[in-house]
Coordinates of all heavy atoms in Angstrom, one line a residue:
M1 N -5.6 0.0 14.8 CA -5.3 1.1 13.8 C -5.3 0.5 12.4 O -4.5 -0.4 12.1 CB -4.0 1.8 14.2 CG -3.6 2.8 13.2 SD -1.9 3.4 13.5 CE -2.3 5.1 13.5
I2 N -6.0 1.1 11.6 CA -6.1 0.7 10.1 C -5.1 1.6 9.4 O -5.1 2.8 9.5 CB -7.5 0.8 9.6 CG1 -8.4 -0.2 10.3 CG2 -7.5 0.5 8.1 CD1 -9.8 -0.1 10.0
E3 N -4.3 1.0 8.5 CA -3.3 1.7 7.7 C -3.6 1.4 6.3 O -4.1 0.4 5.9 CB -1.9 1.2 8.1 CG -1.5 1.5 9.5 CD -0.1 1.1 9.8 OE1 0.7 1.1 8.9 OE2 0.2 0.7 10.9
H4 N -3.3 2.4 5.5 CA -3.5 2.3 4.0 C -2.2 2.2 3.3 O -1.3 3.0 3.5 CB -4.2 3.6 3.5 CG -4.5 3.6 2.1 ND1 -5.0 4.7 1.4 CD2 -4.6 2.6 1.2 CE1 -5.2 4.4 0.1 NE2 -5.0 3.1 0.0
D5 N -2.0 1.1 2.6 CA -0.8 0.8 1.9 C -1.1 1.2 0.4 O -1.6 0.4 -0.3 CB -0.4 -0.7 2.1 CG 0.9 -1.0 1.3 OD1 1.3 -0.2 0.4 OD2 1.5 -2.0 1.6
V6 N -0.8 2.4 0.1 CA -1.2 2.9 -1.3 C -0.5 2.1 -2.4 O -1.0 1.7 -3.4 CB -0.9 4.4 -1.4 CG1 -1.1 4.9 -2.8 CG2 -1.7 5.2 -0.3
R7 N 0.8 1.9 -2.1 CA 1.6 1.2 -3.1 C 1.0 -0.2 -3.5 O 1.1 -0.6 -4.7 CB 3.1 1.1 -2.7 CG 3.9 0.4 -3.7 CD 5.4 0.4 -3.2 NE 6.3 -0.1 -4.2 CZ 7.5 -0.1 -4.2 NH1 8.1 0.5 -3.2 NH2 8.2 -0.6 -5.1
N8 N 0.6 -1.0 -2.4 CA 0.1 -2.3 -2.7 C -1.4 -2.4 -2.8 O -2.0 -3.5 -2.8 CB 0.6 -3.2 -1.6 CG 2.1 -3.4 -1.7 OD1 2.6 -3.8 -2.8 ND2 2.9 -3.2 -0.7
H9 N -2.1 -1.3 -2.8 CA -3.5 -1.2 -2.9 C -4.3 -2.0 -1.9 O -5.0 -2.9 -2.2 CB -4.0 -1.6 -4.4 CG -3.5 -0.7 -5.4 ND1 -3.1 -1.2 -6.6 CD2 -3.3 0.6 -5.4 CE1 -2.7 -0.2 -7.4 NE2 -2.8 0.9 -6.7
L10 N -4.0 -1.7 -0.6 CA -4.7 -2.4 0.4 C -4.8 -1.6 1.7 O -4.0 -0.7 1.9 CB -4.1 -3.8 0.7 CG -2.6 -3.9 1.1 CD1 -2.5 -3.9 2.6 CD2 -2.1 -5.2 0.7
F11 N -5.8 -1.9 2.5 CA -6.0 -1.4 3.8 C -5.7 -2.6 4.7 O -6.1 -3.7 4.5 CB -7.4 -0.9 4.1 CG -7.6 0.4 3.4 CD1 -7.9 0.5 2.0 CD2 -7.5 1.6 4.1 CE1 -8.1 1.7 1.4 CE2 -7.8 2.9 3.5 CZ -8.1 2.9 2.2
H12 N -5.0 -2.4 5.8 CA -4.6 -3.5 6.7 C -4.5 -3.1 8.2 O -4.4 -1.9 8.5 CB -3.3 -4.1 6.3 CG -2.1 -3.2 6.4 ND1 -1.3 -3.3 7.5 CD2 -1.7 -2.3 5.5 CE1 -0.3 -2.3 7.2 NE2 -0.6 -1.7 6.1
T13 N -4.6 -4.1 9.0 CA -4.5 -3.9 10.5 C -4.0 -5.2 11.1 O -4.1 -6.2 10.4 CB -5.8 -3.5 11.1 OG1 -5.6 -3.0 12.5 CG2 -6.8 -4.6 11.1
A14 N -3.4 -5.1 12.2 CA -2.9 -6.2 12.9 C -3.5 -6.3 14.3 O -3.8 -5.3 15.0 CB -1.4 -6.2 13.1
L15 N -3.8 -7.5 14.7 CA -4.5 -7.7 16.0 C -4.0 -9.1 16.5 O -4.1 -10.1 15.8 CB -6.0 -7.7 15.9 CG -6.7 -7.8 17.2 CD1 -6.5 -6.6 18.1 CD2 -8.3 -7.9 16.9
Q16 N -3.5 -9.1 17.7 CA -3.0 -10.4 18.4 C -2.1 -11.2 17.5 O -2.2 -12.4 17.4 CB -4.3 -11.2 18.8 CG -5.2 -10.5 19.7 CD -6.5 -11.3 19.8 OE1 -6.8 -12.3 19.2 NE2 -7.4 -10.7 20.7
G17 N -1.2 -10.5 16.7 CA -0.2 -11.1 15.9 C -0.8 -11.6 14.5 O 0.0 -12.2 13.8
H18 N -2.0 -11.2 14.2 CA -2.6 -11.6 12.9 C -2.8 -10.4 12.1 O -3.2 -9.4 12.6 CB -3.9 -12.4 13.1 CG -3.7 -13.6 13.9 ND1 -3.4 -14.8 13.4 CD2 -3.9 -13.9 15.2 CE1 -3.3 -15.7 14.3 NE2 -3.6 -15.2 15.5
Q19 N -2.6 -10.6 10.8 CA -2.9 -9.5 9.8 C -4.2 -9.7 9.1 O -4.5 -10.7 8.7 CB -1.8 -9.4 8.8 CG -0.4 -8.9 9.3 CD -0.4 -7.4 9.3 OE1 -1.1 -6.7 8.7 NE2 0.5 -6.9 10.2
A20 N -5.0 -8.6 9.1 CA -6.2 -8.6 8.3 C -6.1 -7.5 7.3 O -5.4 -6.5 7.4 CB -7.4 -8.3 9.2
R21 N -6.7 -7.8 6.1 CA -6.6 -6.8 5.0 C -7.7 -6.8 4.1 O -8.5 -7.7 4.0 CB -5.3 -7.1 4.2 CG -5.3 -8.3 3.4 CD -4.0 -8.6 2.7 NE -4.1 -9.8 1.9 CZ -3.7 -11.0 2.3 NH1 -3.3 -11.2 3.5 NH2 -3.8 -12.0 1.4
L22 N -7.9 -5.6 3.4 CA -8.8 -5.4 2.3 C -8.0 -5.0 1.1 O -7.3 -4.0 1.2 CB -9.9 -4.4 2.7 CG -11.0 -4.1 1.7 CD1 -12.3 -3.8 2.3 CD2 -10.6 -3.1 0.7
E23 N -8.1 -5.7 0.1 CA -7.4 -5.5 -1.2 C -8.3 -4.8 -2.2 O -9.5 -5.1 -2.3 CB -6.8 -6.7 -1.8 CG -5.9 -7.4 -0.8 CD -5.5 -8.8 -1.3 OE1 -6.0 -9.3 -2.3 OE2 -4.7 -9.4 -0.6
Y24 N -7.8 -3.9 -3.0 CA -8.5 -3.3 -4.0 C -7.7 -3.0 -5.2 O -6.5 -3.1 -5.2 CB -9.1 -2.0 -3.5 CG -8.1 -0.9 -3.2 CD1 -7.7 0.0 -4.2 CD2 -7.6 -0.8 -1.9 CE1 -6.7 1.0 -3.9 CE2 -6.6 0.2 -1.6 CZ -6.2 1.1 -2.6 OH -5.3 2.0 -2.3
R25 N -8.3 -2.6 -6.3 CA -7.5 -2.2 -7.5 C -8.2 -0.9 -8.0 O -9.4 -0.7 -7.8 CB -7.5 -3.2 -8.6 CG -8.7 -3.4 -9.4 CD -8.5 -4.4 -10.6 NE -9.8 -4.6 -11.3 CZ -10.6 -5.5 -11.1 NH1 -10.3 -6.5 -10.2 NH2 -11.8 -5.6 -11.7
L26 N -7.4 -0.1 -8.7 CA -7.9 1.2 -9.2 C -8.0 1.1 -10.7 O -7.2 0.5 -11.3 CB -6.9 2.4 -8.8 CG -6.8 2.7 -7.4 CD1 -5.7 3.8 -7.2 CD2 -8.2 3.1 -6.8
D27 N -9.2 1.6 -11.2 CA -9.5 1.6 -12.6 C -10.0 3.0 -12.9 O -11.2 3.2 -12.8 CB -10.5 0.5 -13.0 CG -10.1 -0.9 -12.6 OD1 -9.1 -1.3 -13.0 OD2 -10.8 -1.5 -11.8
G28 N -9.0 3.9 -13.3 CA -9.4 5.2 -13.5 C -10.0 5.9 -12.3 O -9.3 6.0 -11.3
A29 N -11.3 6.3 -12.3 CA -11.9 7.0 -11.2 C -12.7 6.0 -10.4 O -13.6 6.5 -9.6 CB -12.8 8.1 -11.7
S30 N -12.5 4.7 -10.5 CA -13.2 3.8 -9.6 C -12.2 2.9 -8.9 O -11.1 2.6 -9.3 CB -14.2 2.9 -10.4 OG -13.5 2.1 -11.3
M31 N -12.7 2.4 -7.7 CA -12.0 1.5 -6.9 C -12.8 0.2 -6.8 O -13.9 0.2 -6.4 CB -11.8 2.1 -5.5 CG -11.3 1.2 -4.4 SD -11.4 1.9 -2.7 CE -9.9 2.8 -2.7
T32 N -12.2 -0.9 -7.2 CA -12.8 -2.2 -7.1 C -12.3 -2.9 -5.9 O -11.1 -3.2 -5.8 CB -12.5 -3.0 -8.4 OG1 -13.0 -2.3 -9.5 CG2 -13.2 -4.4 -8.3
I33 N -13.2 -3.2 -4.9 CA -12.8 -3.9 -3.7 C -12.8 -5.4 -4.2 O -13.9 -6.0 -4.5 CB -13.8 -3.7 -2.6 CG1 -13.7 -2.2 -2.2 CG2 -13.4 -4.6 -1.4 CD1 -14.8 -1.8 -1.2
T34 N -11.7 -6.0 -4.1 CA -11.5 -7.4 -4.6 C -11.5 -8.5 -3.6 O -11.9 -9.6 -3.9 CB -10.2 -7.5 -5.5 OG1 -9.1 -7.2 -4.7 CG2 -10.3 -6.6 -6.7
H35 N -11.0 -8.2 -2.4 CA -10.9 -9.3 -1.4 C -10.8 -8.7 0.0 O -10.1 -7.7 0.2 CB -9.6 -10.0 -1.7 CG -9.4 -11.3 -0.9 ND1 -10.2 -12.4 -1.1 CD2 -8.5 -11.6 0.0 CE1 -9.8 -13.3 -0.2 NE2 -8.8 -12.9 0.5
T36 N -11.4 -9.3 1.0 CA -11.3 -9.0 2.4 C -10.9 -10.2 3.1 O -11.6 -11.3 2.9 CB -12.7 -8.5 2.9 OG1 -13.1 -7.3 2.2 CG2 -12.5 -8.0 4.4
L37 N -9.8 -10.1 3.8 CA -9.3 -11.3 4.5 C -9.1 -11.0 6.0 O -8.3 -10.1 6.3 CB -8.0 -11.8 3.9 CG -7.3 -13.0 4.7 CD1 -8.1 -14.2 4.6 CD2 -5.9 -13.2 4.2
V38 N -9.8 -11.7 6.9 CA -9.6 -11.6 8.3 C -9.4 -13.1 8.8 O -10.3 -13.9 8.6 CB -10.9 -11.0 9.0 CG1 -10.7 -11.0 10.5 CG2 -11.1 -9.6 8.5
P39 N -8.2 -13.3 9.3 CA -7.9 -14.7 9.8 C -9.0 -15.1 10.9 O -9.5 -14.3 11.7 CB -6.6 -14.6 10.5 CG -5.9 -13.4 9.8 CD -7.1 -12.4 9.5
E40 N -9.3 -16.4 10.9 CA -10.3 -16.9 11.8 C -10.0 -16.6 13.2 O -10.9 -16.3 14.0 CB -10.4 -18.4 11.6 CG -11.6 -19.1 12.3 CD -11.7 -20.5 11.9 OE1 -11.5 -21.0 10.8 OE2 -12.1 -21.3 12.9
A41 N -8.8 -16.6 13.6 CA -8.4 -16.4 15.0 C -8.8 -15.0 15.5 O -9.0 -14.8 16.7 CB -6.9 -16.5 15.1
I42 N -9.0 -14.1 14.6 CA -9.4 -12.7 15.0 C -10.8 -12.3 14.4 O -11.2 -11.2 14.4 CB -8.4 -11.7 14.8 CG1 -8.0 -11.6 13.3 CG2 -7.2 -11.9 15.7 CD1 -7.1 -10.4 12.9
G43 N -11.5 -13.3 13.9 CA -12.8 -13.0 13.3 C -13.8 -12.7 14.3 O -13.7 -12.9 15.5
G44 N -15.0 -12.1 13.9 CA -16.1 -11.8 14.7 C -15.9 -10.6 15.6 O -16.7 -10.4 16.5
Q45 N -14.9 -9.8 15.3 CA -14.7 -8.6 16.1 C -14.9 -7.3 15.4 O -14.5 -6.2 15.8 CB -13.2 -8.6 16.6 CG -12.9 -9.8 17.5 CD -11.5 -9.8 18.1 OE1 -11.1 -8.9 18.7 NE2 -10.8 -10.9 17.9
G46 N -15.5 -7.4 14.2 CA -15.8 -6.2 13.5 C -14.6 -5.6 12.6 O -14.7 -4.5 12.1
I47 N -13.6 -6.4 12.5 CA -12.4 -6.0 11.7 C -12.7 -5.8 10.2 O -12.3 -4.8 9.7 CB -11.3 -7.0 11.9 CG1 -10.9 -7.0 13.4 CG2 -10.1 -6.6 11.1 CD1 -9.9 -8.1 13.8
A48 N -13.4 -6.8 9.7 CA -13.8 -6.6 8.2 C -14.6 -5.3 8.0 O -14.4 -4.6 7.1 CB -14.5 -7.8 7.7
A49 N -15.5 -5.1 8.9 CA -16.4 -3.9 8.8 C -15.5 -2.6 8.9 O -15.7 -1.7 8.2 CB -17.4 -3.9 9.9
A50 N -14.6 -2.6 9.9 CA -13.7 -1.4 10.0 C -12.9 -1.2 8.8 O -12.7 -0.1 8.4 CB -12.9 -1.6 11.3
L51 N -12.3 -2.3 8.2 CA -11.5 -2.2 7.0 C -12.4 -1.7 5.8 O -11.9 -0.7 5.1 CB -10.9 -3.5 6.6 CG -9.8 -4.0 7.5 CD1 -9.5 -5.5 7.2 CD2 -8.5 -3.2 7.3
T52 N -13.5 -2.1 5.7 CA -14.5 -1.7 4.7 C -14.9 -0.2 4.8 O -14.8 0.5 3.9 CB -15.7 -2.6 4.6 OG1 -15.3 -4.0 4.4 CG2 -16.6 -2.3 3.4
K53 N -15.2 0.1 6.0 CA -15.6 1.5 6.3 C -14.4 2.5 6.0 O -14.6 3.5 5.3 CB -16.0 1.7 7.7 CG -16.4 3.1 8.1 CD -16.8 3.3 9.5 CE -17.2 4.7 9.8 NZ -17.6 5.0 11.2
A54 N -13.2 2.1 6.4 CA -12.0 2.9 6.1 C -11.8 3.1 4.6 O -11.5 4.2 4.1 CB -10.8 2.4 6.8
T55 N -12.0 2.0 3.9 CA -11.9 2.0 2.4 C -12.9 2.9 1.8 O -12.6 3.7 0.9 CB -12.0 0.6 1.9 OG1 -11.0 -0.2 2.5 CG2 -11.8 0.5 0.4
L56 N -14.2 2.8 2.2 CA -15.2 3.6 1.6 C -15.1 5.0 2.0 O -15.3 5.9 1.1 CB -16.6 3.1 2.1 CG -17.0 1.7 1.6 CD1 -18.2 1.2 2.3 CD2 -17.1 1.6 0.1
E57 N -14.6 5.4 3.2 CA -14.3 6.8 3.5 C -13.2 7.3 2.7 O -13.2 8.5 2.3 CB -14.0 6.9 5.0 CG -15.2 6.6 5.9 CD -16.3 7.7 5.8 OE1 -16.0 8.8 5.5 OE2 -17.5 7.2 6.0
H58 N -12.2 6.5 2.4 CA -11.1 6.9 1.5 C -11.7 7.2 0.1 O -11.3 8.2 -0.5 CB -10.0 5.9 1.5 CG -9.0 6.2 0.4 ND1 -8.0 7.2 0.6 CD2 -8.7 5.6 -0.8 CE1 -7.3 7.2 -0.5 NE2 -7.7 6.3 -1.4
A59 N -12.4 6.3 -0.4 CA -13.1 6.5 -1.7 C -13.8 7.8 -1.8 O -13.7 8.6 -2.7 CB -13.9 5.3 -2.0
R60 N -14.6 8.0 -0.7 CA -15.5 9.3 -0.7 C -14.5 10.5 -0.7 O -14.8 11.4 -1.4 CB -16.4 9.3 0.5 CG -17.1 10.6 0.7 CD -18.2 10.5 1.7 NE -19.3 9.9 1.0 CZ -20.2 9.0 1.6 NH1 -20.0 8.6 2.8 NH2 -21.2 8.4 0.9
S61 N -13.5 10.5 0.1 CA -12.6 11.7 0.3 C -11.8 12.0 -1.0 O -11.4 13.1 -1.2 CB -11.8 11.6 1.5 OG -10.8 10.6 1.3
T62 N -11.6 10.9 -1.8 CA -10.8 11.1 -3.0 C -11.6 11.1 -4.3 O -11.1 11.2 -5.3 CB -9.7 10.0 -3.1 OG1 -10.3 8.7 -3.0 CG2 -8.7 10.2 -1.9
G63 N -12.9 11.0 -4.1 CA -13.8 11.1 -5.3 C -13.9 9.9 -6.2 O -14.2 10.0 -7.3
L64 N -13.6 8.8 -5.5 CA -13.6 7.5 -6.3 C -15.0 6.8 -6.2 O -15.6 6.8 -5.1 CB -12.6 6.5 -5.8 CG -11.1 6.9 -6.0 CD1 -10.2 6.0 -5.2 CD2 -10.8 6.9 -7.5
A65 N -15.5 6.2 -7.3 CA -16.6 5.4 -7.3 C -16.2 4.0 -6.8 O -15.0 3.7 -6.9 CB -17.3 5.3 -8.7
V66 N -17.1 3.2 -6.3 CA -16.7 1.9 -5.7 C -17.5 0.8 -6.5 O -18.6 0.8 -6.7 CB -17.0 1.8 -4.2 CG1 -16.8 0.4 -3.6 CG2 -16.2 2.9 -3.4
V67 N -16.7 -0.3 -6.8 CA -17.2 -1.5 -7.3 C -16.9 -2.6 -6.3 O -15.8 -2.8 -5.9 CB -16.6 -1.9 -8.7 CG1 -17.2 -3.2 -9.2 CG2 -16.8 -0.8 -9.7
A68 N -18.0 -3.2 -5.8 CA -17.8 -4.3 -4.7 C -17.8 -5.6 -5.4 O -18.8 -6.2 -5.6 CB -18.9 -4.1 -3.7
Q69 N -16.6 -6.1 -5.7 CA -16.5 -7.4 -6.3 C -16.5 -8.4 -5.1 O -16.9 -9.6 -5.3 CB -15.2 -7.5 -7.1 CG -15.0 -8.8 -7.8 CD -13.7 -8.7 -8.7 OE1 -12.8 -7.9 -8.4 NE2 -13.6 -9.5 -9.7
C70 N -16.0 -8.1 -4.0 CA -15.9 -8.9 -2.8 C -17.3 -9.1 -2.2 O -18.0 -8.1 -2.0 CB -14.9 -8.3 -1.8 SG -15.0 -8.9 -0.2
S71 N -17.6 -10.3 -1.8 CA -18.9 -10.6 -1.3 C -19.1 -9.9 0.1 O -20.3 -9.4 0.4 CB -19.2 -12.1 -1.2 OG -18.2 -12.7 -0.2
Y72 N -18.1 -9.8 0.9 CA -18.2 -9.1 2.1 C -18.6 -7.6 1.9 O -19.5 -7.0 2.5 CB -17.0 -9.2 3.0 CG -17.2 -8.4 4.3 CD1 -17.9 -9.1 5.4 CD2 -16.9 -7.1 4.5 CE1 -18.2 -8.4 6.6 CE2 -17.3 -6.4 5.7 CZ -17.9 -7.1 6.7 OH -18.2 -6.4 7.8
A73 N -17.8 -7.0 1.0 CA -18.1 -5.6 0.7 C -19.5 -5.4 0.1 O -20.1 -4.4 0.4 CB -17.1 -5.1 -0.3
Q74 N -20.0 -6.3 -0.7 CA -21.3 -6.2 -1.2 C -22.4 -6.2 -0.1 O -23.3 -5.4 0.0 CB -21.6 -7.4 -2.1 CG -20.9 -7.3 -3.5 CD -21.0 -8.6 -4.3 OE1 -21.6 -9.6 -3.8 NE2 -20.4 -8.6 -5.4
T75 N -22.1 -7.2 0.9 CA -23.1 -7.2 2.1 C -23.0 -6.0 2.9 O -24.0 -5.4 3.4 CB -22.7 -8.5 2.9 OG1 -22.9 -9.6 2.1 CG2 -23.6 -8.6 4.1
Y76 N -21.7 -5.5 3.1 CA -21.6 -4.3 4.0 C -22.3 -3.1 3.3 O -23.1 -2.3 4.0 CB -20.1 -3.9 4.1 CG -19.8 -2.8 5.0 CD1 -19.5 -2.9 6.4 CD2 -19.8 -1.5 4.5 CE1 -19.3 -1.9 7.2 CE2 -19.6 -0.4 5.4 CZ -19.3 -0.6 6.7 OH -19.1 0.5 7.5
L77 N -22.2 -2.9 2.0 CA -22.8 -1.9 1.3 C -24.4 -2.0 1.4 O -25.1 -1.0 1.5 CB -22.4 -1.8 -0.2 CG -21.0 -1.2 -0.3 CD1 -20.4 -1.5 -1.7 CD2 -21.0 0.4 -0.1
S78 N -24.9 -3.2 1.3 CA -26.3 -3.4 1.4 C -26.9 -3.0 2.7 O -28.0 -2.6 2.9 CB -26.7 -4.8 1.0 OG -26.4 -5.7 2.0
R79 N -26.0 -3.1 3.8 CA -26.4 -2.8 5.1 C -26.1 -1.3 5.5 O -26.5 -0.9 6.7 CB -25.8 -3.7 6.1 CG -26.2 -5.2 5.9 CD -25.5 -6.1 6.9 NE -26.0 -7.4 6.7 CZ -25.4 -8.5 7.1 NH1 -24.2 -8.4 7.9 NH2 -25.8 -9.7 6.9
H80 N -25.4 -0.6 4.7 CA -25.1 0.8 5.1 C -25.4 1.7 3.9 O -24.5 2.1 3.1 CB -23.5 0.8 5.4 CG -23.2 0.0 6.6 ND1 -22.9 -1.3 6.6 CD2 -23.1 0.4 7.9 CE1 -22.6 -1.7 7.8 NE2 -22.8 -0.7 8.6
P81 N -26.6 2.1 3.9 CA -27.1 3.0 2.8 C -26.4 4.3 2.7 O -26.4 4.9 1.6 CB -28.6 3.2 3.1 CG -28.8 2.8 4.5 CD -27.7 1.9 4.9
Q82 N -25.7 4.7 3.7 CA -25.0 6.0 3.6 C -23.8 6.0 2.6 O -23.3 7.0 2.2 CB -24.5 6.4 5.0 CG -23.4 5.6 5.6 CD -23.9 4.4 6.5 OE1 -24.9 3.9 6.2 NE2 -23.1 4.1 7.5
Y83 N -23.5 4.8 2.1 CA -22.4 4.6 1.1 C -22.9 4.3 -0.3 O -22.2 4.2 -1.2 CB -21.4 3.6 1.6 CG -20.7 4.0 2.8 CD1 -20.9 3.3 4.0 CD2 -19.8 5.0 2.8 CE1 -20.2 3.6 5.2 CE2 -19.1 5.4 4.0 CZ -19.3 4.7 5.1 OH -18.7 5.0 6.3
Q84 N -24.2 4.3 -0.4 CA -24.8 3.9 -1.8 C -24.4 4.9 -2.9 O -24.4 4.5 -4.1 CB -26.3 3.8 -1.7 CG -26.8 2.6 -1.0 CD -26.2 1.3 -1.5 OE1 -26.3 1.0 -2.7 NE2 -25.6 0.5 -0.7
D85 N -24.2 6.1 -2.5 CA -23.8 7.2 -3.5 C -22.5 6.9 -4.1 O -22.1 7.4 -5.2 CB -23.8 8.6 -2.9 CG -22.8 8.7 -1.7 OD1 -22.8 7.9 -0.8 OD2 -22.0 9.7 -1.8
L86 N -21.7 6.0 -3.5 CA -20.3 5.7 -4.0 C -20.4 4.5 -5.0 O -19.4 4.3 -5.8 CB -19.4 5.3 -2.9 CG -19.1 6.3 -1.8 CD1 -18.2 5.7 -0.7 CD2 -18.4 7.5 -2.4
V87 N -21.5 3.7 -4.9 CA -21.5 2.5 -5.7 C -21.7 2.7 -7.2 O -22.5 3.5 -7.6 CB -22.7 1.6 -5.2 CG1 -22.8 0.3 -6.1 CG2 -22.5 1.2 -3.8
Q88 N -20.8 2.1 -7.9 CA -20.8 2.2 -9.4 C -21.4 0.9 -9.9 O -21.0 -0.2 -9.6 CB -19.4 2.3 -9.9 CG -19.3 2.4 -11.5 CD -17.9 2.5 -11.9 OE1 -17.1 3.1 -11.3 NE2 -17.6 2.0 -13.1
E89 N -22.5 1.0 -10.6 CA -23.2 -0.2 -11.1 C -22.5 -0.8 -12.3 O -21.8 -0.2 -13.0 CB -24.6 0.3 -11.5 CG -25.4 0.8 -10.4 CD -25.8 -0.2 -9.3 OE1 -25.9 -1.4 -9.6 OE2 -25.8 0.3 -8.1

């Protein structure tokens, strides 16, 4: 289950005792994805993708443009054209 911590500007989930998170910052009407962290112990299970998708869906539902500063988010966006309308150049 992915949770949104609005106060700390992150999406997070726990699996097998490990915390994974995606951090962002808000700049007016845009959301900059700054960092995605998935511990190696739980890597390779699609957690980063799930966190990124939840973040992009939140951006879409709240009318935010997205800036992908994080390399993982950049790669995810390049592979999922359905989110290109959110990308702020």
Side-chain angles (χ1 to χ4, degrees):
M1 171 186 233
I2 295 175
E3 297 181 29
H4 185 194
D5 182 342
V6 176
R7 183 176 183 170
N8 292 306
H9 297 142
L10 59 91
F11 285 81
H12 63 97
T13 191
L15 183 64
Q16 301 169 357
H18 298 277
Q19 286 282 333
R21 68 181 182 270
L22 181 149
E23 300 170 355
Y24 66 89
R25 73 171 181 266
L26 294 176
D27 301 302
S30 70
M31 169 189 275
T32 300
I33 299 173
T34 58
H35 189 68
T36 303
L37 174 66
V38 177
E40 189 175 326
I42 57 171
Q45 299 182 53
I47 297 169
L51 288 166
T52 304
K53 180 180 179 180
T55 302
L56 295 172
E57 290 296 329
H58 171 75
R60 174 166 282 143
S61 70
T62 57
L64 294 169
V66 173
V67 177
Q69 186 176 23
C70 164
S71 61
Y72 181 86
Q74 291 170 358
T75 300
Y76 186 92
L77 284 164
S78 72
R79 294 179 179 165
H80 295 87
Q82 67 268 34
Y83 295 111
Q84 289 303 308
D85 61 310
L86 299 175
V87 177
Q88 179 177 329
E89 299 296 328

